[in-house]
Structure formats: C-alpha cells, structure tokens
C-alpha cells in the first residue's frame, strides 16, 4: 500500500474518532503516527472551544498535546477515562491487537484498562487474518533482559533487542523492548499468559480483550467495526 494512501486512511480514521469526543470528557491520548493525527485534530477542536482533559500515554504524546493547547491531567486525578483513542500495529477478526511499535505499550495498556470506551484507529493495512505479521513487542526489566533473550530464543521466538542510535532503546519507564516473532502461533492467548508469567517481562504488546470499536480508513471511506463481528 502506498504511503500516501496509508496516510490518507490514517487521517480519515483519526478525524472520525474526534467526533466521538464531547465537552467535559476525559480522553486517553494514544501514541504513534495515527494517534498523532487524532491529537492534532483534537487540538484544532480545542482551539474552537471544545473543553476536555487529556491523559497521555507517552512523554512524546504529552509534549504534542501541550504544544496544541490540550489540558492534561495525570491518570490518578482522572479516574475512569470517558474514552481512550489509540492506534494499533495489527488487529485480527477477534479484535485482538498487537501494539508497541512505538514503545509505549505499557502506558497504553494501562489507559485502555482504565477507560469506559476503547477506540482503535487504523488504516486498512493493519487488518490481518492472524496476528504475527508484525513483531510482538515485550517490555522487559533491564536486569532480566539478557537472560530473557536466551529464554525466548529457546522458545523459538527469535527475540531482538530494540535499539536506538546503537544503544538499547529505553521506554518512558526506563525498560527495554524485545521484539519477538509470533507468526504462526495458534494459541495467542496461551502464549500471552506464558510470557506475562516470566519474571522480568513487565508487559506484552498483545491487547486481547480491551477494544470496543475500531475505526478504519479504507480508501475514501471510514468503517466502524464494532466488537461483534
């Protein structure tokens, strides 16, 4: 899919999601390129008078929202979010997601857990029959990461330590990211349980039950996919 088409579809989905945001709402602000389109559109609406509070899922998102004049509050003051809007790296017909390509999976999952309504915005290229085309990110404690690499290799998951400028990438929580290969895994739920039980794994990029609605750009259309398909 050409990048111009992808960007067009991302914007369609992102802009449509902003129509769900109403005055007085507390809004979870996702991270990543599609979420960025949403935040910029939300900033435009705030400039026109929309009154909301945002809870960001990453330091990068927080800075962008501040620059756009969106009022931010910490999660502990927000309580339950009215709506959480975020992107995804993949989603399947069971509304299961892979997230974490941007490294914000832990905070993103926390916001999703604390939201009344979880909305995923995506271009049509993110829809897959089975998860695993995109590598699965795992957030790991630095102390455990070297031995975790060995253990995951033994499991046949081909882990790669994510790097930035030649050094180990660090999340906003100062953890590492291991990207693993789950292509062909039949029991994704079982694998998630196995991974999360491994000491040193903080969180996985598998979002298995959190999504209520997917707004997907497809060509010049916007499709609303509800969690009953």
């Amino acid at each position: 899919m050409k990048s111009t088409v992808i960007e067009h579809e991302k914007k369609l989905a992102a802009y449509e999601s902003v129509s769900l945001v109403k005055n007085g709402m507390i809004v979870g602000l996702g991270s990543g390129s599609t979420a960025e389109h949403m935040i910029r559109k939300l900033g435009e609406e705030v400039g026109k008078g929309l009154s909301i509070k945002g809870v960001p899922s990453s330091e990068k998102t927080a800075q962008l929202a501040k620059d756009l004049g969106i009022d931010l509050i910490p999660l502990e003051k927000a309580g339950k979010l009215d709506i959480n809007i975020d992107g995804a790296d993949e989603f399947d017909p069971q509304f299961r997601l892979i997230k974490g390509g941007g490294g914000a999976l832990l905070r993103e999952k926390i916001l999703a857990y604390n939201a009344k309504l979880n909305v995923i915005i995506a271009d049509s290229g993110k829809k897959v029959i089975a998860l695993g085309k995109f590598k699965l990110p795992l957030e790991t404690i630095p102390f455990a990461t070297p031995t975790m690499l060995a253990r995951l290799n033994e499991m046949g998951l081909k882990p790669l330590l994510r790097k930035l400028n030649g050094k180990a990438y660090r999340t906003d929580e100062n953890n590492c990211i291991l990207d693993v290969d789950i292509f062909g895994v039949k029991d994704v739920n079982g694998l998630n349980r196995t991974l999360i039980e491994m000491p040193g794994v903080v969180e996985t990029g598998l979002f298995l039950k959190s999504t209520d609605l997917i707004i997907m750009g497809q060509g010049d259309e916007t499709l609303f996919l509800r969690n009953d398909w």
Side-chain angles (χ1 to χ4, degrees), residues 95 212 225-229:
F95 272 50
D212 300 302
L225 308 174
R226 302 188 186 277
N227 199 354
D228 57 3
W229 60 302

Short mmCIF file of all heavy atoms in Angstrom, two decimals, residues 95 212 225-229:
data_model
loop_
_atom_site.label_atom_id
_atom_site.label_comp_id
_atom_site.label_asym_id
_atom_site.label_seq_id
_atom_site.Cartn_x
_atom_site.Cartn_y
_atom_site.Cartn_z
N PHE A 95 -10.73 -8.87 17.27
CA PHE A 95 -10.43 -7.59 17.91
C PHE A 95 -9.22 -7.67 18.83
O PHE A 95 -9.07 -6.88 19.76
CB PHE A 95 -11.65 -7.05 18.69
CG PHE A 95 -12.57 -6.22 17.84
CD1 PHE A 95 -13.01 -6.68 16.61
CD2 PHE A 95 -12.99 -4.98 18.25
CE1 PHE A 95 -13.86 -5.93 15.81
CE2 PHE A 95 -13.84 -4.21 17.47
CZ PHE A 95 -14.27 -4.69 16.25
N ASP A 212 -13.24 -1.93 22.07
CA ASP A 212 -14.69 -1.86 21.87
C ASP A 212 -15.06 -1.51 20.43
O ASP A 212 -16.05 -2.00 19.90
CB ASP A 212 -15.31 -0.80 22.80
CG ASP A 212 -15.06 -1.10 24.26
OD1 ASP A 212 -15.46 -2.20 24.71
OD2 ASP A 212 -14.46 -0.26 24.95
N LEU A 225 -16.04 -0.67 12.94
CA LEU A 225 -16.07 -2.10 13.22
C LEU A 225 -16.30 -2.27 14.71
O LEU A 225 -15.45 -1.90 15.53
CB LEU A 225 -14.77 -2.77 12.80
CG LEU A 225 -14.31 -2.48 11.37
CD1 LEU A 225 -12.94 -3.08 11.13
CD2 LEU A 225 -15.30 -2.98 10.36
N ARG A 226 -17.45 -2.81 15.08
CA ARG A 226 -17.78 -2.99 16.50
C ARG A 226 -17.44 -4.40 16.93
O ARG A 226 -17.41 -5.32 16.11
CB ARG A 226 -19.24 -2.65 16.75
CG ARG A 226 -19.56 -1.23 16.32
CD ARG A 226 -20.95 -0.76 16.72
NE ARG A 226 -21.21 0.57 16.15
CZ ARG A 226 -20.81 1.71 16.69
NH1 ARG A 226 -20.13 1.69 17.83
NH2 ARG A 226 -21.10 2.86 16.12
N ASN A 227 -17.21 -4.58 18.19
CA ASN A 227 -16.73 -5.86 18.70
C ASN A 227 -17.84 -6.89 18.77
O ASN A 227 -18.16 -7.44 19.82
CB ASN A 227 -16.10 -5.67 20.08
CG ASN A 227 -15.22 -6.83 20.44
OD1 ASN A 227 -15.16 -7.83 19.73
ND2 ASN A 227 -14.52 -6.73 21.55
N ASP A 228 -18.43 -7.17 17.60
CA ASP A 228 -19.44 -8.23 17.49
C ASP A 228 -19.36 -8.90 16.12
O ASP A 228 -20.28 -9.56 15.70
CB ASP A 228 -20.85 -7.67 17.73
CG ASP A 228 -21.21 -6.54 16.78
OD1 ASP A 228 -20.39 -6.23 15.90
OD2 ASP A 228 -22.29 -5.96 16.94
N TRP A 229 -18.22 -8.68 15.41
CA TRP A 229 -18.09 -9.22 14.05
C TRP A 229 -17.27 -10.49 14.06
O TRP A 229 -16.63 -10.79 15.04
CB TRP A 229 -17.48 -8.19 13.10
CG TRP A 229 -16.14 -7.71 13.46
CD1 TRP A 229 -15.75 -7.09 14.63
CD2 TRP A 229 -14.96 -7.77 12.67
NE1 TRP A 229 -14.44 -6.77 14.59
CE2 TRP A 229 -13.91 -7.16 13.42
CE3 TRP A 229 -14.65 -8.27 11.40
CZ2 TRP A 229 -12.62 -7.05 12.92
CZ3 TRP A 229 -13.37 -8.16 10.92
CH2 TRP A 229 -12.36 -7.56 11.68
#
